[in-house]
Amino acid sequence: TQAIAFNQGGSLFFNFRSFSQHCRGRDRRKLITEWFVTMCHEIAHNVSSNHDKAHSHAMETIIHNLIPNLVDCSIYRAASTP
């Protein structure tokens, strides 16, 4: 199985092939949001390597703190226009 992304020793790795295949014909804004959440998920593994309560809490905190930056991002705003 090929991982979409993983965190190894605090370094994040993303599978570009998976990303490019996943993107075909999809709404760009939705894709940006999905990859944002994927990045937050991987960053949360710096708090807990497991998918436990600590990981969930860290992920929620990261998303809560960073989502305003995503919404303000010009790439995100441009993705919503045809």
Side-chain angles (χ1 to χ4, degrees):
T1 178
Q2 292 186 3
I4 293 172
F6 64 94
N7 180 330
Q8 184 174 12
S11 296
L12 305 182
F13 297 87
F14 298 91
N15 184 331
F16 182 73
R17 180 179 290 167
S18 175
F19 175 77
S20 61
Q21 290 173 348
H22 186 69
C23 289
R24 291 189 192 133
R26 306 262 326 270
D27 175 77
R28 289 187 323 166
R29 192 171 182 169
K30 183 175 180 180
L31 286 169
I32 291 168
T33 303
E34 289 174 4
W35 281 90
F36 170 79
V37 171
T38 299
M39 284 188 264
C40 293
H41 173 93
E42 295 306 329
I43 293 167
H45 280 301
N46 291 334
V47 173
S48 175
S49 59
N50 299 314
H51 293 117
D52 56 12
K53 192 173 184 176
H55 178 272
S56 294
H57 178 66
M59 185 174 155
E60 290 174 16
T61 301
I62 293 164
I63 290 172
H64 175 80
N65 289 334
L66 295 180
I67 198 77
N69 297 327
L70 175 65
V71 173
D72 288 341
C73 179
S74 61
I75 295 170
Y76 187 76
R77 287 193 316 254
S80 66
T81 58

